[in-house]
Each structure stands twice: as structure tokens, then as C-alpha cells.
Amino acid sequence: MKKPAYTLLLLCFSLFASGTAALASSIPETLNYQLTWSGVKIGTSTLSTTTTGSGVEITSKVKSEAWSAPFYKVDDLETSKLDREGKGFALHSYKMKLREGKNDWHRAASVNHKNNRFEFVNLKTFEKSSAKLVEPAWDPVSCLFYLRQVPLAVGKSIEVNVLDKGKLNRVKVAVLRRETVQTPAGSFRTIVVSPNMDIESEGLFYARGPLTIWLTDDAKKVPVIVEKRINDLFREGIPAYLQQFTPESVRNNIPKMETIRAVLVGGSY
């Protein structure tokens, strides 16, 4: 069984102004989410964006519910920093510390624009690596800044450079449809996108498998729902401790059993 990792990936973050530059969204901003699996609350997540001098800092936090600690405790923190560049922003650095069950991932990365390199370090082993910088490029957190600002047209796709685990990933994002959805934060008209997450990474929403994001169909493009299906999550069967929490009708619905959802419940945006 692959262990669920309840992290919130919100993919990509800004508009091309020129070169590596990106135009800012609403700042400051705080988005609060409730994470559920099969209708059961399993955790909370917060995505906040603030200004720091002439730059921008984006912070993602995820915590599992106390009841899940004996089975799978999650305590994740990711920080992305952007520098002012021209009329917009460009990636400066990224740091993550994910604690999910028995997994403990801790690494950092920074951009060297002068040498046109993206430099990585594993903060547990201190192993270093680097990759050629293809701009504009983003880390797993800051790339939401991009997706939220570019024009989106149903039936069209866009591509995003995501630098992670020492390599460049070219992620294709399909724009699927428009849909009105109901959340604890209210009713929203949304535009639905699906990034192709066929990349090597850590954490739930970064892993391979279908990812769907509902963005408000307006200038802010606030992500109100993020849904991730982990294919073959229960390939070896549903553990006994989970069976007691799920009715038979849910256990027999494999797509639902393999899906984790983040839904907007409040914040300032």
C-alpha cells in the first residue's frame, strides 16, 4: 500500500511580463483549506502570500488531524521566495520540510541567474546538485502564481517549467471546463484545470496520478478545490484500521477511496 501524504500541492503562480518576470496576484493573501478523504476530515492546510521588501514569500503548511497520528501523522512546511524583476517577479529560492508517516524529506533550492543554474541541496545528507535554468521556471509551490495569472481557455493547454528534485519538469496543464461549485467558503463559478503530474517528486499532490484544480473564473483565480487521485493506493487491499472508518459503499468505490480533496473554507483573498 502506498501511504497517503495529505500535502497540498497548488500548482503554479504568475503572468509572463517579460523573460522570467511574473505579474503579482492579490497580495497579501491567506487561503485556508480542509483536507478530506472519503468524506472524513484528515487535516488542514494554509497557503499564504506576503510581501518581503521588494519580493514575495509564499508559505504552505499542512497538518493532519490528531486522530490520524497513530496511523499517519503529517506536518509539512514549504516556503518559496520570489525576487522583484522588471515589472514582475522571478524565482529566488525554495525550501521544504515534509514529515509524512515514516517519511522525512528536507531539501532546499536556489536560483543562480548569473550562471543560469538552479542549485539543489538535500538538507539531510547535504548532497548537492544543479540543473540548467530554463526560464521562466518555478518550484512546486510558486508555480501556482503562474497558473493563476495566465489566460485560460477551455479546450486549450499551457506548459509550465517546474524545477524539483534536481531536474526540470515540463508540466502540461489542460483546461477542462467551467463549473459552479459549492464550498464552505461559498459558491463559486470556476474554471477547471488538470496538470499532468507524471513527474518524480515527494508528497501526495506532487506524486504521479490525476490532479484537478478548480480556480475561480475571475481575475484572481483563487484555487477553491484541489483533488488528487493516487492510483493503486490500495493495491494490496484496504487496511483493517481504515475499514472501520469507511462504509461498504465507499470501500467498493475505488476511485473515491483513492482520492484526497482540499476544499477552501476561508481566509482573505
Side-chain angles (χ1 to χ4, degrees):
M1 171 187 173
K2 298 177 183 176
K3 291 288 187 178
Y6 322 137
T7 42
L8 178 63
L9 168 69
L10 301 171
L11 188 68
C12 302
F13 191 135
S14 243
L15 172 66
F16 292 113
S18 62
T20 61
L23 198 62
S25 180
S26 298
I27 303 173
E29 177 185 73
T30 300
L31 304 174
N32 299 321
Y33 297 88
Q34 176 176 282
L35 307 184
T36 61
W37 167 76
S38 296
V40 178
K41 183 179 178 182
I42 58 174
T44 58
S45 177
T46 300
L47 185 71
S48 60
T49 306
T50 59
T51 55
T52 55
S54 61
V56 167
E57 182 170 296
I58 311 161
T59 302
S60 173
K61 297 180 180 180
V62 181
K63 284 188 177 293
S64 57
E65 290 293 286
W67 68 264
S68 68
F71 312 122
Y72 202 83
K73 183 178 181 179
V74 176
D75 187 2
D76 292 349
L77 174 64
E78 296 174 89
T79 303
S80 176
K81 295 183 179 180
L82 308 180
D83 285 332
R84 171 73 67 176
E85 184 168 304
K87 297 180 180 179
F89 296 93
L91 179 61
H92 174 272
S93 61
Y94 166 71
K95 187 175 182 180
M96 58 90 90
K97 189 175 182 65
L98 306 184
R99 292 183 175 177
E100 303 177 354
K102 296 180 180 180
N103 299 312
D104 185 0
W105 299 299
H106 193 189
R107 66 177 185 268
S110 61
V111 172
N112 187 326
H113 291 287
K114 182 178 180 180
N115 295 332
N116 200 34
R117 304 291 293 178
F118 197 66
E119 300 168 346
F120 301 82
V121 58
N122 184 319
L123 295 176
K124 292 184 67 179
T125 65
F126 296 101
E127 180 182 358
K128 295 182 180 180
S129 61
S130 67
K132 182 179 179 180
L133 181 63
V134 179
E135 298 188 284
W138 312 98
D139 59 67
V141 172
S142 69
C143 60
L144 181 57
F145 207 37
Y146 173 80
L147 188 60
R148 291 180 61 185
Q149 301 298 326
V150 295
L152 300 175
V154 173
K156 302 292 184 179
S157 297
I158 61 173
E159 292 188 338
V160 185
N161 292 325
V162 181
L163 292 153
D164 191 24
K165 288 196 72 176
K167 64 177 67 175
L168 172 70
N169 301 282
R170 189 72 171 167
V171 176
K172 186 176 183 179
V173 183
V175 184
L176 303 179
R177 63 186 181 275
R178 285 183 164 83
E179 182 180 341
T180 298
V181 297
Q182 187 71 38
T183 78
S187 178
F188 298 95
R189 296 177 60 187
T190 67
I191 188 162
V192 187
V193 301
S194 180
N196 180 7
M197 297 303 293
D198 189 21
I199 64 175
E200 182 182 352
S201 190
E202 289 110 359
L204 170 65
F205 283 88
Y206 304 104
R208 288 183 173 89
L211 173 67
T212 308
I213 305 173
W214 284 255
L215 302 167
T216 56
D217 192 12
D218 55 23
K220 291 185 177 182
K221 293 188 178 69
V222 176
V224 295
I225 301 175
V226 180
E227 193 171 88
K228 177 69 176 184
R229 180 176 176 183
I230 313 170
N231 294 329
D232 298 324
L233 177 62
F234 298 108
R235 180 174 49 195
E236 299 175 5
I238 302 172
Y241 70 80
L242 288 180
Q243 291 186 26
Q244 63 181 311
F245 293 110
T246 54
E248 184 177 358
S249 59
V250 175
R251 294 198 303 270
N252 291 336
N253 187 337
I254 296 301
K256 187 173 182 179
M257 285 289 292
E258 293 180 341
T259 299
I260 292 178
R261 190 173 239 227
V263 180
L264 186 71
V265 295
S268 57
Y269 43 89

